[in-house]
Amino acid sequence: MVNPQMVMYEEEFNQIQVVVDRLVRDANAKVVFIVDKNGQLIAAAGDIDNVDTTSLASLTAGNIAATGGMAKLLKEQEFATQFHEGEKANIHIQLVGNRVILVVIFDAKSSLGLVRLRVKKASEELNHVFETLLKKAHEPGTDSPFAEITDEDIDNLFND
Amino acid sequence: MSFINYMAREINCKLVYYGPGLCGKTTNLQYIFERTNPEHKGKMISLATETERTLFFDFLPLSLGEIRGFKTRFHLYTVPGQVFYDASRKLILKGVDGVIFVADSQIERMEANEESIENLRTNLAEQGYALERLPFVIQYNKRDLPNVASSEELRQLLNKSNVPDFDAVARTGVGVFDTLKAVAKLVLTELRKGSGG
């Protein structure tokens, strides 16, 4: 495969969760989540029971991909930040280290200024964690749990 | 690019339905959505025009069950088939783990099928993928229509590397799950081979 496989370990997951939990509080946000550029949800915090994070994750990635496509046409590297303002809810989208996407949903209890400020700090922390994660995934001896699956395991998935 | 999450004990893979305009990619997803138990599926999202042509993509998250204690989740995407949406098609192929090519069996769509599979090859190559090395299956759709080419003709034209292929009528569901299962199996087999990245 051309792309390295994205792997998430417990240690880094916990570090990421700490950052997003704190961002919800510090930015007065409703929901914060992190998605990889392919639309896989990595972590979420806040009032997540009332939003469809899986769908939001895929649409966010689509949005970032489309914006990245526009950037390329304009000979820009990336448009790293996006902001969508609604009547009640607003979404702030930030590309972190060109790898993952940090999404903050907030309402009138917060402000764009505050969100931007807190996102900036969180991005730096997240970037650091994802760098470690990437290095770790490249280390030899980190075998996928799928290395030893059998044809039977795979067939069993489809026996319904 | 699959995503293995040790914390949540799940693995996520991305499948893309590719093919010429109106070949039935969205119909495949709609059928899968209708026939899957609610606990195994998420919401289906369609970014379509007012005339229900796919504008950007359709998206359907599915969970297939567990392998060795890991939940297997598949994210199904379709691309817009119309020729002029090529920039969007390229974006959707990013990070793909497996491809389903849906061919329109009608004789008058043969050229569109050929053009689309060539376009798939080109767009994958741009991102450093070779179609031959990806989990890949072909579906010959609309077999119920009167003006169709034979499966053998379609095979000769589109399936030169002899990947698994299936006759289908996506509207009524014939062959839809067979196609999905085949590509999912190939993706999981590839994960085993490519373990460790």
Side-chain angles (χ1 to χ4, degrees):
Chain A
M1 263 179 243
V2 198
N3 290 316
Q5 204 164 55
M6 175 94 170
V7 182
M8 179 61 67
Y9 300 101
E10 192 171 344
E11 190 186 349
E12 283 76 15
F13 180 83
N14 289 333
Q15 290 170 1
I16 291 166
Q17 195 63 48
V18 167
V19 177
V20 293
D21 282 336
R22 197 175 55 225
L23 185 56
V24 171
R25 290 194 306 272
D26 288 354
N28 273 339
K30 286 179 79 168
V31 177
V32 172
F33 61 91
I34 297 180
V35 194
D36 81 355
K37 282 181 107 179
N38 300 323
Q40 314 279 12
L41 185 69
I42 295 173
D47 187 17
I48 48 176
D49 292 336
N50 293 316
V51 288
D52 180 352
T53 44
T54 311
S55 300
L56 272 172
S58 127
L59 289 171
T60 305
N63 195 334
I64 280 286
T67 320
M70 292 194 277
K72 221 171 155 186
L73 292 175
L74 298 175
K75 307 230 172 355
E76 271 291 327
Q77 190 76 16
E78 270 307 339
F79 294 120
T81 311
Q82 290 183 46
F83 174 58
H84 302 288
E85 189 176 1
E87 271 181 30
K88 287 189 192 123
N90 311 296
I91 303 187
H92 186 278
I93 301 174
Q94 179 73 42
L95 198 56
V96 176
N98 211 358
R99 250 190 303 264
V100 295
I101 307 159
L102 174 61
V103 182
V104 179
I105 302 175
F106 63 98
D107 58 17
K109 286 191 202 116
S110 187
S111 68
L112 179 58
L114 178 67
V115 170
R116 287 184 80 141
L117 183 73
R118 302 303 189 201
V119 161
K120 194 164 181 244
K121 182 161 179 276
S123 298
E124 283 162 16
E125 290 174 7
L126 289 170
N127 200 18
H128 182 72
V129 180
F130 280 103
E131 253 166 36
T132 316
L133 202 56
L134 204 69
K135 271 187 214 140
K136 222 171 175 176
H138 285 161
E139 278 168 17
T142 48
D143 270 352
S144 127
F146 286 78
E148 281 164 19
I149 58 170
T150 59
D151 289 340
E152 211 188 334
D153 287 329
I154 296 176
D155 284 334
N156 283 340
L157 262 191
F158 299 103
N159 289 339
D160 41 34
Chain B
M1 181 179 67
S2 54
F3 171 33
I4 302 176
N5 190 335
Y6 283 88
M7 186 64 196
R9 296 197 73 75
E10 61 181 38
I11 174 129
N12 293 279
C13 305
K14 177 173 179 177
L15 303 179
V16 174
Y17 284 76
Y18 212 94
L22 295 175
C23 69
K25 302 173 285 294
T26 302
T27 311
N28 263 271
L29 254 67
Q30 279 166 342
Y31 186 82
I32 294 165
F33 179 74
E34 280 160 21
R35 292 304 167 101
T36 305
N37 289 333
E39 65 266 29
H40 294 306
K41 69 182 175 193
K43 224 189 207 163
M44 179 167 164
I45 288 181
S46 289
L47 302 179
T49 65
E50 282 173 0
T51 52
E52 293 193 19
R53 300 297 303 269
T54 302
L55 179 64
F56 194 6
F57 59 77
D58 303 302
F59 168 69
L60 174 61
L62 277 188
S63 76
L64 282 188
E66 288 194 5
I67 290 191
R68 306 256 165 145
F70 273 76
K71 282 174 251 165
T72 54
R73 291 181 193 277
F74 284 84
H75 286 180
L76 276 47
Y77 286 85
T78 65
V79 297
Q82 294 178 84
V83 175
F84 56 89
Y85 288 135
D86 199 36
S88 301
R89 275 195 293 279
K90 284 181 196 180
L91 298 176
I92 293 151
L93 281 176
K94 277 187 185 167
V96 65
D97 292 302
V99 178
I100 301 100
F101 183 83
V102 181
D104 189 328
S105 296
Q106 298 176 92
I107 289 167
E108 63 266 30
R109 297 298 283 162
M110 284 310 108
E111 216 172 300
N113 286 328
E114 275 188 294
E115 217 172 87
S116 178
I117 206 165
E118 204 41 53
N119 174 256
L120 167 64
R121 213 177 283 279
T122 311
N123 285 346
L124 283 171
E126 259 181 43
Q127 298 183 42
Y129 291 104
L131 183 55
E132 288 70 24
R133 297 188 56 202
L134 262 185
F136 177 49
V137 302
I138 300 179
Q139 180 186 83
Y140 310 122
N141 193 22
K142 308 195 188 180
R143 299 307 301 160
D144 58 331
L145 296 185
N147 52 335
V148 295
S150 72
S151 302
E152 203 38 57
E153 280 172 89
L154 283 154
R155 191 168 289 131
Q156 273 181 19
L157 195 69
L158 303 169
N159 193 2
K160 287 171 182 131
S161 44
N162 212 12
V163 298
D165 54 5
F166 302 88
D167 281 350
V169 184
R171 231 161 27 88
T172 58
V174 177
V176 168
F177 277 99
D178 293 335
T179 313
L180 173 64
K181 282 176 187 179
V183 76
K185 270 188 187 184
L186 290 178
V187 168
L188 292 169
T189 310
E190 190 64 28
L191 276 177
R192 175 172 62 188
K193 275 195 267 170
S195 63

